[in-house]
Amino acid sequence: MQRRGLLLILSSPSGAGKSTLARRLMDWDPTIRFSVSATTRAPRPGEVDGQHYYFRDRAAFESMIAAGQMLEHAEVFGNFYGSPRGPVEDAMRDGRDTLFDIDWQGGQQIRNSALGRDVVSVFVLPPSIAELDRRLRGRAQDTEEVIAGRMAKSRDEISHWAEYDYVLVNDDIDKSFHQLQTILEAERMKRDRQPMLADFVRGLNREFENR
Ligand code: ADP
Ligand code: 5GP
């Protein structure tokens, strides 16, 4: 029985743990499609074009917007980020879920789009700002200047927590992952996401009649 795919949006201040949660969710259920964003920022060590991001220059990014290929786009930390529309529409058609690791601006745009009813949004909070700072440094992927910029932006990102359907405080990664699984499993069972149920119940009624 094919259900309707949903769009799972994960947002958090940088360093709160959403990429870690996203990776674990996709390991757990490989049918989930990760929405690979396009960005004008430079790749970090280990990041692969087409897997973590589509790394594009400003002109290529702008032409994707002009061609209507972006479901949403926003400027974050002085770079442009956006979610390509095509793979999301393909996944929806196949009844598969798409996972987005995007900021509050992207979350707002998709929620307000024609796909808004298919959105399930989850905001990840850090247990404290001191711990957020430790995690950003622990990742050891950014310069001191970049880390300072991200910390300054965190307050703004956190101010949007109440726009989300669910909020996790990521103190323990195993607990947070379990909570995220629970959210996804429950949302998949929503009646609206199971349009085949009407046929299924008609079949049950036929069985009653034929007894
Ligand atoms: P984000 O994608 O939100 O920027 P990451 O998933 O990259 O954050 O996590 C930032 C750092 O914090 C990583 O080094 C990650 O391993 C670590 N981390 C994530 N969740 C937890 C947690 N609950 N406890 C301790 N460390 C965590
Ligand atoms: P990073 O540079 O650390 O990979 O990501 C920086 C921020 O940009 C994160 O908050 C991330 O969620 C957000 N981001 C990544 N891709 C997109 C996107 O396609 N659209 C929007 N709006 N934000 C994105």
Side-chain angles (χ1 to χ4, degrees):
M1 285 201 284
Q2 201 187 49
R3 58 176 180 83
R4 196 174 159 80
L6 56 79
L7 312 184
L8 181 62
I9 297 181
L10 273 186
S11 299
S12 79
S14 189
K18 68 189 169 313
S19 315
T20 307
L21 287 167
R23 258 195 312 276
R24 286 187 64 163
L25 202 64
M26 289 182 297
D27 286 346
W28 166 67
D29 181 352
T31 69
I32 298 171
R33 288 297 182 84
F34 181 67
S35 169
V36 179
S37 297
T39 183
T40 59
R41 94 152 154 71
R44 295 194 189 117
E47 282 185 332
V48 178
D49 185 50
Q51 184 183 335
H52 299 94
Y53 280 106
Y54 296 107
F55 296 100
R56 295 290 181 265
D57 62 22
R58 181 84 179 256
F61 193 94
E62 282 175 354
S63 67
M64 286 178 79
I65 297 173
Q69 291 169 358
M70 293 296 201
L71 195 53
E72 60 78 31
H73 65 275
E75 188 177 347
V76 187
F77 310 126
N79 290 302
F80 288 91
Y81 293 80
S83 309
R85 180 188 298 279
V88 181
E89 290 176 347
D90 291 349
M92 292 285 302
R93 207 172 28 245
D94 297 344
R96 300 176 77 164
D97 302 331
T98 305
L99 175 60
F100 295 81
D101 171 343
I102 60 177
D103 83 332
W104 67 269
Q105 303 175 84
Q108 264 186 7
Q109 289 173 49
I110 300 182
R111 220 180 285 114
N112 293 333
S113 77
L115 295 175
R117 60 184 277 249
D118 300 303
V119 168
V120 177
S121 60
V122 180
F123 198 87
V124 183
L125 284 170
S128 68
I129 300 308
E131 174 63 13
L132 184 67
D133 189 66
R134 267 193 295 278
R135 287 185 193 168
L136 271 180
R137 287 169 199 285
R139 200 162 61 180
Q141 284 180 328
D142 295 310
T143 62
E144 189 61 36
E145 192 190 343
V146 169
I147 290 175
R150 284 172 187 260
M151 283 303 286
K153 181 83 175 31
S154 293
R155 192 170 188 159
D156 180 41
E157 185 75 29
I158 289 175
S159 74
H160 292 275
W161 68 278
E163 295 164 21
Y164 286 71
D165 299 322
Y166 299 92
V167 182
L168 307 180
V169 178
N170 179 24
D171 48 357
D172 178 290
I173 191 69
D174 290 329
K175 187 187 79 185
S176 301
F177 175 60
H178 180 67
Q179 289 171 333
L180 190 58
Q181 277 178 308
T182 306
I183 291 166
L184 183 57
E185 294 200 295
E187 287 286 346
R188 284 173 167 174
M189 304 291 285
K190 282 222 167 128
R191 194 184 56 233
D192 285 355
R193 301 212 164 93
Q194 303 190 79
M196 67 294 181
L197 277 182
D199 273 348
F200 179 72
V201 174
R202 264 193 290 277
L204 293 180
N205 284 333
R206 267 197 304 277
E207 235 184 295
F208 269 129
E209 285 151 20
N210 295 334
R211 271 160 72 88

